[in-house]
Amino acid sequence: MLMQQTTVSYPRLGALAESARRCGPLRVGVVYPCERSALEAALEARDQGFIEPVLVGPSERIHAAAADADISLSGVEIVEAANAPAAARRAVALAGSGEIGALMKGSLHTDEMLGSIVGRESPLRTGRRTSHVFWFDCPAYHKPLMLTDAVVNIAPGLPEKADIVRNAVDLAHGLGLSNPKVAILAPVETVNPALPSTIDAAALCKMADRGQIAGATLDGPLGFDNAVSLASASTKGIVSLVAGEPDILVVPSLDAGNSLYKSLVYLGGAACAGLVLGARLPVILTSRADSKQARIASCALAALTARHLAH
């Protein structure tokens, strides 16, 4: 069971895992899985019923990594590719032809992976900016919480932030939230011309009012405290449909998002999963520092999300 990875109880993560199992395994292209951690996570996600891995890369190196980890590759499909860039291109081609329903980063560099997915000739490219969304089961919070973008977009402008919100809202819809509540974070909760993040937050909310961002309730700018705490919002006199109840937190930059993500995991004890969205299928973009639990949970999240995107 996914829940057995830690001694802390994560009921919302367990519910996510059970929902993913009910969908049946998703064929996932694991790109250049030439290190032990990448292979272990993919095969354990298979054993837990989330994915059917297709390993894309040099078979000799993949078998060597499996032998080092004492893992059997019996029955696992391997698609030959000479090196990391070739593996990324081959996996994108397989995804474009519909042979796999998601991609998972192995031991290649992130830019090699994403470059093939969003490149000019990629069949997975859409008109939307790609962005990363973390999904958390936070012991201190009363429901699942999403955070975007803490991985891909460094300093997004307003058009990029609009797509970042749209991608996260799509993920929420795929998880059964018909009208997620979105908090647009900034250092303060008032619009201040000296803080561009507050102006962008206000503009995003007005875009939602005008239907340019649909399917969610947005509010911002909100500080982190009055976004997640109704008591804090009330103390400051903030009247909001989102304060204290957000499903999604949108950060102004990667600096802020990455620090918040790591704070939630390392100090807040949160379990997490993460995906890159905005392409025609979900991308599991894990870090070498991610736990096995996070990698497997990301596979479960992809299994749920891929079905929604396909429709």
Side-chain angles (χ1 to χ4, degrees), residues 141-146 165 168-169 172-173 177-184 215-219 222 227 240-250:
Y141 195 62
H142 59 283
K143 60 180 176 177
L145 184 65
M146 286 168 267
V165 173
V169 169
H173 289 171
L177 294 172
S178 60
N179 187 48
K181 296 181 178 181
V182 183
I184 314 297
T217 298
L218 275 64
D219 196 9
L222 290 170
S240 170
L241 295 174
V242 173
E245 287 290 335
D247 301 292
I248 300 167
L249 301 177
V250 179

Side-chain angles (χ1 to χ4, degrees), residues 86-152:
R89 291 191 299 270
R90 182 67 177 128
V92 166
L94 290 171
S97 65
E99 294 180 58
I100 52 180
L103 295 174
M104 182 176 183
K105 177 177 174 285
S107 48
L108 75 171
H109 293 297
T110 296
D111 57 351
E112 291 176 314
M113 179 89 167
L114 291 182
S116 294
I117 293 168
V118 302
R120 189 177 300 275
E121 305 301 322
S122 170
L124 305 182
R125 186 184 174 115
T126 69
R128 189 179 289 184
R129 181 83 172 191
T130 56
S131 59
H132 188 277
V133 185
F134 275 116
W135 178 100
F136 295 98
D137 184 346
C138 300
Y141 195 62
H142 59 283
K143 60 180 176 177
L145 184 65
M146 286 168 267
L147 173 69
T148 188
D149 178 357
V151 174
V152 174

Side-chain angles (χ1 to χ4, degrees), residues 32-250:
Y32 201 69
C34 298
E35 289 183 357
R36 176 178 187 147
S37 58
L39 277 176
E40 285 180 334
L43 296 182
E44 188 159 341
R46 174 202 63 183
D47 294 343
Q48 295 194 27
F50 303 139
I51 70 171
E52 178 188 340
V54 178
L55 310 182
V56 185
S59 57
E60 184 175 346
R61 291 199 61 182
I62 292 171
H63 280 289
D68 178 61
D70 195 24
I71 293 174
S72 171
L73 295 180
S74 176
V76 179
E77 181 179 352
I78 299 178
V79 175
E80 186 68 35
N83 50 42
R89 291 191 299 270
R90 182 67 177 128
V92 166
L94 290 171
S97 65
E99 294 180 58
I100 52 180
L103 295 174
M104 182 176 183
K105 177 177 174 285
S107 48
L108 75 171
H109 293 297
T110 296
D111 57 351
E112 291 176 314
M113 179 89 167
L114 291 182
S116 294
I117 293 168
V118 302
R120 189 177 300 275
E121 305 301 322
S122 170
L124 305 182
R125 186 184 174 115
T126 69
R128 189 179 289 184
R129 181 83 172 191
T130 56
S131 59
H132 188 277
V133 185
F134 275 116
W135 178 100
F136 295 98
D137 184 346
C138 300
Y141 195 62
H142 59 283
K143 60 180 176 177
L145 184 65
M146 286 168 267
L147 173 69
T148 188
D149 178 357
V151 174
V152 174
N153 292 282
I154 297 172
L158 181 59
E160 292 77 27
K161 287 180 181 179
D163 275 349
I164 287 169
V165 173
R166 293 182 185 112
N167 289 339
V169 169
D170 282 351
L171 176 60
H173 289 171
L175 296 176
L177 294 172
S178 60
N179 187 48
K181 296 181 178 181
V182 183
I184 314 297
L185 299 184
V188 296
E189 65 277 0
T190 53
V191 176
N192 183 339
L195 289 170
S197 60
T198 67
I199 298 174
D200 284 352
L204 290 168
C205 293
K206 183 52 66 177
M207 291 173 75
D209 290 343
R210 296 290 187 263
Q212 293 172 269
I213 299 173
T217 298
L218 275 64
D219 196 9
L222 290 170
F224 179 77
D225 54 347
N226 45 62
V228 300
S229 168
L230 184 58
S232 177
S234 298
T235 299
K236 293 190 176 183
I238 298 170
V239 178
S240 170
L241 295 174
V242 173
E245 287 290 335
D247 301 292
I248 300 167
L249 301 177
V250 179

